[in-house]
Amino acid sequence: MSRPGAAAALCLAALACAGCRVVKPGDPLPGLTRDQRDRFQRGRAVFDSVFTPETGLGPLFNSTACGECHEDPKSGGTGDEVEVHATAFRGGVCDPLVQEGGPVIQQHTTPALKQALGIDQEPFPPSATARAMRTTPVIFGRGLLDLVPDSVILSYADPDDKNHDGISGRPNRNVDGRIGRFGRKALVPTLREFNAGAFVAEQGVTNPAVPTEETIGGKPIPPGVDPVADPEINQDQLDLTNDFVRFLAAPTPARLGGAGGRGREIFSRIGCPACHVPTLRTGDSPVAALRFKYFAAYTDLLLHDMGPDLADICLGLATPAEFRTEPLVGLRSVKKFLHDGRAATPEQAIEAHGGEGAGVRDRFKALPAGERQALIAFLKSL
Amino acid sequence: MKRGGVFAITGVLAGSLAGVAQHAAPQPAALYTYQGTVHSMQAKTGTLELITGVGLALRLVQIRIPTGLRLAGTATGAASMGASGVKPGDVVRVVCHRADGRLVADKVEKLEPTP
């Protein structure tokens, strides 16, 4: 697997002082035009809008606003909500259980749906073979990840581990065959699609890209329960939300003291960059602030087998044990670690790595205490 | 809100329809293209169930496969749709039209992953 270690380090050094303007979590990308900054602000208003049944919420939902979950420390950050997903993995094929309501099991219902069916949440699909808990990821810098060319993602793939380094990343594929990159299992190819799907799967808010509601465990919504005409938001609202999310900057890594600087070196020495690739570069874009930009990503956007202890659901080509390398950008804002929040600290998260991450985990555990602390200080600077 | 049978039309192509709606000439049926993952292929009923969707909002589309329709785009040439032509997990592109309120396939092409 080719890893651009030295080049990445150089790029990171440049990134740390890109114009020497510190970008804080929740800030817009540096270099946006006045019009783009205006759309960022207006998009944030839609992102933070609280929906009600009268404005399109539900009838099934996990949250009433994008910003209800993505709230800490700013809109686009993390949150303490944990949601439930489920799929079935049989004979090596993943079934996202669309016929039983799909992989996202909404945890809330509107009063009208509760009155009609007497349920407080979507029924758990009876055919599921696994349940997954999912925390709210920070979404800073996701507009940059959106523009990393597929060819770059494929350049890091080594599905058969031909270089025998024990790392064998491979891309996931969307249901239509395109390379995926968003979501903990990298099912979704683009940010725009992720956002449009999330409006419906998370809030029950239909939109021009997804004009139909989720079913109730595969059954139709009872008549009269969801009286707002579809789509429940218009194209302008959807576009503004997309602009807010894609214009969210990756925060500038905090200035590293001596320990943190050593931590970055240790991060490389024990092999973390084999999956958490420090720097990626965007491709072309009409938005100059997104075009051909190096940024601190700390992901290869590929699936890796993380071992049986972390395994939960399948999704697309991802087996239960395979997860996309989590981007570490914005890690300083994270309160619960790993896809399901089981780790309370970065140390616990590293120690839970298995499968392809087992070698790095073991090297981390073998470090002297001072070096472990230095590595953690570096991670908390991101 | 509404529970239509057809979700997320990925492409609607009926070039000759434009601007001639009120004229008496017979109109060709609108064609719909779906690209997704095969959920099931029920040979007995001739029904292909396809997983489509946007993001994590996934949808199931049912398409009738006429008897004798051959699978296009396979390396080994045409194969029967009904038997082992497609299986769950395969990615296919289906061109179809509506008849009696149902989607009916005109062409099914199996897609191989492309770099």
Side-chain angles (χ1 to χ4, degrees):
Chain A
M1 192 178 303
S2 70
R3 301 291 171 189
L10 281 174
C11 293
L12 270 182
L15 278 169
C17 190
C20 288
R21 197 201 123 188
V22 174
V23 177
K24 299 187 295 297
D27 281 355
L29 290 162
L32 291 177
T33 64
R34 183 188 296 264
D35 178 60
Q36 288 162 347
R37 283 200 306 274
D38 176 63
R39 292 190 63 79
F40 177 83
Q41 303 290 353
R42 292 164 58 206
R44 181 162 56 198
V46 181
F47 187 89
D48 288 336
S49 295
V50 175
F51 287 87
T52 66
E54 291 72 33
T55 58
L57 180 71
L60 288 171
F61 62 98
N62 280 325
S63 60
T64 58
C66 307
E68 183 189 1
C69 295
H70 295 282
E71 61 179 345
D72 184 20
K74 290 287 181 66
S75 294
T78 186
D80 53 10
E81 291 81 359
V82 179
E83 59 182 52
V84 179
H85 293 193
T87 62
F89 191 57
R90 297 190 186 88
V93 175
C94 189
D95 181 352
L97 299 175
V98 182
Q99 73 282 11
E100 295 178 15
V104 181
I105 317 303
Q106 290 83 8
Q107 297 301 295
H108 303 290
T109 60
T110 56
L113 183 62
K114 181 171 183 177
Q115 185 172 30
L117 297 181
I119 58 173
D120 292 313
Q121 60 191 48
E122 184 177 35
F124 192 78
S127 299
T129 57
R131 171 196 303 260
M133 311 305 285
R134 290 288 180 265
T135 57
T136 306
V138 296
I139 54 174
F140 305 135
R142 294 318 193 250
L144 296 160
L145 286 176
D146 193 37
L147 286 170
V148 174
D150 284 353
S151 59
V152 172
I153 300 174
L154 291 170
S155 74
Y156 290 113
D158 182 17
D160 301 317
D161 192 19
K162 288 181 177 167
N163 66 355
H164 306 294
D165 67 351
I167 310 291
S168 54
R170 64 173 182 150
N172 200 355
R173 299 259 175 191
N174 186 248
V175 293
D176 61 8
R178 288 174 297 147
I179 290 175
R181 65 180 70 195
F182 290 110
R184 259 51 184 270
K185 298 275 183 174
L187 180 75
V188 184
T190 67
L191 197 55
R192 175 173 287 273
E193 290 167 87
F194 196 95
N195 295 340
F199 262 119
V200 179
E202 306 296 353
Q203 299 175 73
V205 174
T206 57
N207 56 77
V210 188
T212 55
E213 296 280 9
E214 300 282 282
T215 62
I216 315 295
K219 296 186 174 62
I221 295 170
V225 161
D226 184 31
V228 181
D230 294 318
E232 291 159 335
I233 59 171
N234 61 32
Q235 190 66 52
D236 189 45
Q237 291 168 296
L238 184 59
D239 290 343
L240 284 169
T241 307
N242 286 329
D243 281 349
F244 168 67
V245 174
R246 74 187 176 125
F247 292 160
L248 273 168
T252 306
R255 191 176 293 274
L256 292 171
R262 275 197 303 136
R264 180 160 60 199
E265 183 273 322
I266 296 163
F267 180 84
S268 293
R269 173 159 44 95
I270 67 172
C272 306
C275 301
H276 293 283
V277 176
T279 307
L280 294 175
R281 185 180 186 232
T282 62
D284 201 1
S285 167
V287 177
L290 289 165
R291 185 189 311 143
F292 300 129
K293 298 293 183 189
Y294 288 100
F295 65 104
Y298 293 97
T299 179
D300 57 6
L301 296 171
L302 295 172
L303 298 173
H304 296 275
D305 188 321
M306 296 304 291
D309 290 343
L310 290 182
D312 53 28
I313 61 169
C314 61
L315 201 57
L317 299 182
T319 63
E322 286 181 310
F323 292 87
R324 179 205 59 180
T325 305
E326 184 69 5
L328 301 183
V329 56
L331 196 71
R332 81 184 81 157
S333 301
V334 176
K335 303 292 193 303
K336 297 175 182 173
F337 300 86
L338 294 176
H339 51 279
D340 56 5
R342 72 175 68 185
T345 64
E347 295 95 318
Q348 290 179 10
I350 298 169
E351 289 172 358
H353 280 46
E356 296 176 41
V360 167
R361 174 201 64 202
D362 293 344
R363 288 191 285 278
F364 172 76
K365 291 171 79 170
L367 291 171
E371 291 199 345
R372 283 206 302 273
Q373 289 167 6
L375 175 55
I376 298 305
F378 163 66
L379 293 174
K380 286 181 175 176
S381 76
L382 298 176
Chain B
M1 178 181 115
K2 293 180 278 293
R3 312 305 314 156
V6 179
F7 300 105
I9 297 172
T10 55
V12 179
L13 185 61
S16 60
L17 281 178
V20 298
Q22 311 94 315
H23 296 286
Q27 298 174 9
L31 297 180
Y32 305 86
T33 300
Y34 291 88
Q35 188 165 318
T37 297
V38 174
H39 177 254
S40 69
M41 175 63 217
Q42 296 162 11
K44 280 186 180 174
T45 60
T47 303
L48 173 69
E49 287 189 316
L50 201 60
I51 302 167
T52 67
V54 176
L56 291 182
L58 300 177
R59 301 291 185 258
L60 210 55
V61 178
Q62 293 189 328
I63 303 170
R64 190 167 70 79
I65 305 297
T67 306
L69 186 71
R70 313 294 287 184
L71 184 63
T74 55
T76 54
S80 165
M81 273 294 303
S84 58
V86 295
K87 60 183 185 307
D90 286 345
V91 177
V92 296
R93 181 184 298 127
V94 184
V95 179
C96 48
H97 66 275
R98 275 192 168 283
D100 299 327
R102 296 186 63 185
L103 291 169
V104 180
D106 297 300
K107 180 182 177 185
V108 180
E109 184 180 7
K110 190 171 170 178
L111 305 176
E112 301 298 332
T114 52

